[in-house]
């Protein structure tokens, strides 16, 4: 009579590890070189906008990356609005917008001086959620802000990258006297984008600012950016009209049944449709969030919910 073989925990562990290693090795070949175009576009766009774009670059040429990124041309102009909410008491307008392959929201704030930078209370220790920033500052809305780095590998969002300015003072500087890309508001509420140094903050009367890039529109002219470098991803961005109106944009992404995400050219065209004279990209990906009226009003990609961040832009009450 044949005896049943007993499955040992050690054998099961070895089997699981083998399958895990095999899947990791096989992943780039099946996804990046496989026949599934939708999966390929999502993977390439996500990795390019992450901290490890070299993963894609190791398997695909620049021409192949450009072809994949541009395959889904989501730059629909004009970008239609299918729902608008105006809150006259709060002095803002919120619009749902969509392109060919993306969906998102736009918030318009008439008075630019209401937009401020909020910085985590535990700077260089850990970040906060956008909802926390809004609550702590008494704001009515908030959007994720500048980039950040992770020196200890803890992923706690406590270290803002570049220059961080609040109330006219530099509250954090990780670049010394080097030049960095800034997204800032001066004393008159004018949006400033492009390269600055720490010494320029006082000279330009900058009151609120974070570091990120690229500039999408600078003084009415198109900024320098390449879609093949940035890929397709969830996006957050800020712009300004000639009359001073601030334009906050969030684009959902990495959700094939809802929204793929946007290229930089999509953001650029969107800001053109809103008559922006200055505009810049902010931190995106799993950081992308717009919080208003006590709740997150876009569809977060991050499965864990709101991300912990060092800086946000908040909209103060009138």
């Amino acid at each position: 009579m044949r005896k049943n073989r007993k499955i040992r925990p050690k054998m099961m562990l070895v089997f699981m590890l083998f399958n895990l290693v095999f899947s990791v090795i096989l992943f780039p070949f099946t996804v990046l070189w496989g026949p599934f175009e939708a999966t390929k576009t999502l993977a390439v766009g996500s990795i390019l906008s992450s901290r490890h774009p070299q993963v894609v670059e190791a398997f695909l040429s620049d021409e192949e990356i450009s072809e994949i990124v541009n395959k889904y041309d989501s730059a629909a102009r004009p970008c239609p609005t299918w729902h608008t909410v105006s809150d006259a008491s709060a002095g803002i307008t919120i619009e749902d917008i969509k392109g060919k392959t993306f969906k998102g929201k736009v918030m318009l704030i008439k008075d630019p001086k209401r937009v401020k930078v909020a910085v985590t209370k535990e700077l260089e220790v850990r970040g906060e959620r956008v909802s926390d920033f809004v609550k702590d500052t008494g704001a009515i809305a908030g959007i994720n802000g500048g980039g950040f780095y992770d020196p200890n590998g803890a992923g706690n969002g406590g270290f803002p990258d570049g220059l961080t300015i609040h109330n006219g003072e530099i509250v954090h500087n990780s670049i010394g006297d080097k030049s960095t890309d800034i997204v800032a508001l001066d004393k008159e509420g004018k949006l400033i984008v492009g390269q600055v140094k720490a010494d320029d903050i006082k000279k330009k009367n900058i009151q609120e600012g974070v570091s990120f890039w690229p500039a999408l529109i600078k003084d009415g002219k198109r900024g320098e950016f390449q879609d093949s470098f940035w890929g397709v991803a969830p996006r957050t961005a800020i712009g300004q009209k000639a009359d001073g109106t601030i334009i906050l944009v969030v684009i959902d992404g990495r959700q094939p049944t809802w929204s793929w995400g946007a290229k930089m050219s999509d953001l650029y065209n969107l800001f053109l449709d809103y008559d922006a004279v200055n505009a810049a990209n902010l931190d995106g990906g799993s950081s992308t969030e717009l919080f208003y009226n006590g709740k997150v009003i876009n569809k977060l990609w991050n499965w864990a919910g709101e991300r912990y961040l060092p800086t946000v832009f908040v909209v103060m009450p009138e």
Side-chain angles (χ1 to χ4, degrees):
M1 186 174 180
R2 186 176 180 182
K3 295 182 179 180
N4 292 327
R5 293 187 63 184
K6 193 173 182 179
I7 299 176
R8 299 175 184 172
K10 187 175 181 180
M11 291 176 60
M12 180 63 73
L13 181 60
V14 171
F15 176 77
M16 292 174 66
L17 287 174
F18 171 80
N19 279 277
L20 178 61
V21 172
F22 183 75
S23 298
V24 170
I25 295 173
L26 195 61
F27 173 81
F29 299 97
T30 55
V31 174
L32 301 181
W33 290 346
F36 309 107
E37 294 298 327
T39 304
K40 185 188 302 183
T41 301
L42 181 61
V44 170
S46 299
I47 298 171
L48 280 176
S49 58
S50 73
R51 297 183 181 183
H52 305 286
Q54 64 272 17
V55 174
V56 167
E57 295 166 356
F59 289 89
L60 299 171
S61 66
D62 291 342
E63 292 75 15
E64 289 172 319
I65 293 173
S66 182
E67 182 181 354
I68 292 169
V69 170
N70 291 302
K71 186 177 182 64
Y72 287 82
D73 185 7
S74 53
R77 295 193 62 205
C79 188
T81 302
W82 79 89
H83 183 62
T84 301
V85 176
S86 294
D87 189 343
S89 62
I92 64 172
T93 300
I94 301 172
E95 297 180 345
D96 292 324
I97 49 92
K98 61 181 177 182
K100 187 177 179 182
T101 61
F102 69 79
K103 296 179 182 179
K105 291 186 181 290
V106 172
M107 177 178 282
L108 304 171
I109 303 102
K110 195 69 177 175
D111 181 2
K113 293 183 180 181
R114 294 173 59 192
V115 179
K116 307 290 184 181
V117 167
V119 185
T120 177
K121 296 189 296 292
E122 297 185 74
L123 192 62
E124 295 191 352
V125 178
R126 72 185 187 98
E128 299 178 54
R129 299 171 299 181
V130 177
S131 57
D132 297 326
F133 283 111
V134 171
K135 181 180 178 180
D136 292 344
T137 59
I140 62 171
I143 196 169
N144 60 289
F148 53 98
Y149 62 103
D150 188 14
N152 303 316
N156 54 17
F159 293 81
D161 201 9
L163 295 173
T164 304
I165 306 100
H166 178 53
N167 286 335
E169 300 294 332
I170 297 175
V171 296
H172 195 267
N173 180 354
S174 68
I175 50 129
D177 59 357
K178 296 179 182 177
S179 181
T180 185
D181 283 279
I182 200 80
V183 185
L185 292 158
D186 69 9
K187 203 167 187 178
E188 302 304 317
K190 180 183 177 181
L191 183 65
I192 297 173
V193 300
Q195 292 271 316
V196 300
K197 293 183 177 181
D199 290 343
D200 297 323
I201 302 305
K202 295 293 185 182
K203 296 175 185 177
K204 294 179 179 292
N205 288 318
I206 291 176
Q207 295 297 297
E208 312 288 332
V210 298
S211 289
F212 215 73
W213 82 105
L216 299 165
I217 302 174
K218 182 175 172 59
D219 298 327
K221 298 180 180 179
R222 186 185 191 277
E224 296 183 6
F225 54 85
Q226 293 180 335
D227 285 337
S228 58
F229 176 81
W230 290 94
V232 178
R235 302 288 184 202
T236 303
I238 184 172
Q240 186 175 48
K241 298 184 180 185
D243 67 0
T245 299
I246 292 293
I247 311 162
L248 301 180
V249 175
V250 291
I251 301 293
D252 298 329
R254 298 173 184 164
Q255 303 171 67
T257 59
W258 171 251
S259 176
W260 282 97
K263 300 178 292 186
M264 285 299 153
S265 58
D266 296 328
L267 285 179
Y268 169 73
N269 286 329
L270 177 59
F271 280 115
L272 286 184
D273 294 334
Y274 276 89
D275 299 319
V277 293
N278 287 295
N281 180 51
L282 293 170
D283 187 25
S286 56
S287 299
T288 292
E289 178 182 348
L290 179 57
F291 189 88
Y292 173 67
N293 199 23
K295 62 182 179 181
V296 179
I297 64 172
N298 68 303
K299 289 195 175 186
L300 299 179
W301 175 73
N302 192 352
W303 63 270
E306 294 182 79
R307 196 174 190 182
Y308 285 81
L309 309 168
T311 61
V312 303
F313 281 104
V314 293
V315 182
M316 303 304 294
E318 285 188 302

